[in-house]
Amino acid sequence: MIIARSPLRISLGGGGTDLPSYYKQHEGFLVSAAIDKYIYVAINKPFNKGGIFRYSSMENSQDVDSIKHPIIREALKLFDEKNLQIEISSMADIPAGTGLGSSGSFTTALLKALYVYNRRYLSQQDLAELACFIEIEKLREPIGKQDQYIASVGGISSFAFHKDDTVTYSALNLSSKTLYQLEDNLLLFFTGFSRSASEILKDQKIRSDNNEDEILNNLHYTKDIGYKSKKALEEGDLISFGELMHEHWQHKKNRSSSMSNEKINEWYELALTNGAIGGKVVGAGGGGFLMFMAKDPEKLRQAMGKEGLEEVRFRFDFEGTKIVLSS
């Protein structure tokens, strides 16, 4: 039995510039953080031939090509599994479609588990790139590289996405005080809405590919906010960081009409008058989680609680994708 876990993530600035449609022309930059909410993938060898796959659905397959789950199918193809005899199960602390990068986390956990199961080594960098290869190159998902990289390496890191398709990254130089303040004052509330990130990001990809000035200028501005966010965090200036989150959200909403809705806008304005400095919808938008930088977290919790929004408390993860059981 092999069990791997991979952390979910929150984007702290510059999100959206990690899509190939943007960074291959202009280079991208963002700051992201792994949190202690996880996706787990377990692999076992059953007695009988065939494949058993348990996720939000369950399927049995006798060969790789007939597997319905696209990521599992493409991952198993890497190992030339002609005669299946494997059982793969997944569980998640938080469901998919909520803006925390679950697809990238699932892919990295699956690949890590498969490599250990097949007694092969895979570095963090190679794990991230292989996950990107499956999702972006093989499956043609209109997504970026943030989720796979932050899930692989963990921590609070900045990522630069280069025109030649390479990615460089480094951990932010944060003081212990800043780290604890972030964990105490960054609050996540579930909106109750789930959505497909691919549908929202598809529009951004098309507009970027067409070199539309409006979307490109928006992403240039967002990238600059990513640099400013890194600077504010490393200087321990969390007031400025919260204000940058607010600025980021105002521009993010302009990328797509699906980015927000009337209810999310109402909650956001309520938060600003009840202890929040700034915030945004995490991920591609349209639902999932609202994240706020709070100057008065208890006041904000009370206001959001009265609206029926459930808070998910978290701490940061500094381990990335790892094996938690091998027997």
Side-chain angles (χ1 to χ4, degrees), residues 10 12 31 33 156 172-186 228-242 293-294 314-316 318:
I10 52 175
L12 300 180
V31 179
I156 304 176
L172 264 62
N173 183 22
L174 301 180
S175 68
S176 295
K177 179 182 177 181
T178 298
L179 178 62
Y180 296 144
Q181 287 178 331
L182 277 174
E183 290 185 327
D184 290 342
N185 294 282
L186 268 180
K228 291 178 179 177
S229 297
K230 178 178 184 289
K231 183 175 184 291
L233 288 169
E234 292 188 326
E235 291 178 351
D237 187 354
L238 298 189
I239 298 296
S240 292
F241 171 67
M293 186 68 211
F314 67 90
R315 290 290 182 258
F316 296 115
F318 291 92

Side-chain angles (χ1 to χ4, degrees), residues 90 102 115 151 246:
S90 71
S102 59
Y115 265 72
H246 175 72

Side-chain angles (χ1 to χ4, degrees), residues 6-159:
S6 192
L8 298 173
R9 64 95 184 103
I10 52 175
S11 179
L12 300 180
T17 66
D18 59 322
L19 271 71
S21 56
Y22 178 79
Y23 73 70
K24 285 189 176 182
Q25 296 296 321
H26 309 283
E27 304 222 328
F29 180 87
L30 59 78
V31 179
S32 190
I35 62 174
D36 63 347
K37 304 302 175 190
Y38 301 99
I39 289 182
Y40 299 85
V41 172
I43 297 181
N44 196 25
K45 186 174 183 179
F47 286 107
N48 298 323
K49 299 288 185 181
I52 303 169
F53 309 106
R54 296 184 179 91
Y55 43 100
S56 56
S57 300
M58 179 175 174
E59 56 175 304
N60 293 272
S61 303
Q62 295 303 311
D63 62 89
V64 173
D65 289 333
S66 65
I67 298 172
K68 295 177 182 178
H69 194 293
I71 295 174
I72 295 175
R73 183 180 65 245
E74 294 304 322
L76 284 173
K77 283 182 180 179
L78 298 173
F79 298 91
D80 197 26
E81 295 277 359
K82 292 185 172 60
N83 299 307
L84 283 180
Q85 191 173 353
I86 194 169
E87 181 178 355
I88 299 176
S89 304
S90 71
M91 295 176 292
D93 288 336
I94 294 175
T98 52
L100 301 182
S102 59
S103 180
S105 296
F106 172 79
T107 307
T108 52
L110 174 63
L111 289 170
K112 183 73 172 181
L114 282 170
Y115 265 72
V116 172
Y117 182 75
N118 286 277
R119 297 178 175 85
R120 292 167 61 179
Y121 173 74
L122 194 63
S123 70
Q124 288 179 315
Q125 177 96 29
D126 290 341
L127 173 60
E129 269 310 310
L130 189 56
C132 290
F133 171 74
I134 287 177
E135 292 197 80
I136 299 173
E137 300 298 328
K138 297 293 290 184
L139 298 178
R140 301 294 180 185
E141 291 288 344
I143 59 174
K145 290 187 171 185
Q146 171 187 191
D147 298 351
Q148 300 84 354
Y149 265 87
I150 190 61
S152 296
V153 305
I156 304 176
S157 301
S158 62
F159 298 87

Side-chain angles (χ1 to χ4, degrees), residues 191 193 260-268 290 307 309:
T191 64
F193 305 125
S260 188
N261 59 48
E262 184 177 341
K263 198 62 185 176
I264 289 174
N265 292 338
E266 180 184 316
W267 287 328
Y268 187 87
L290 272 165
E307 291 293 309
L309 273 69

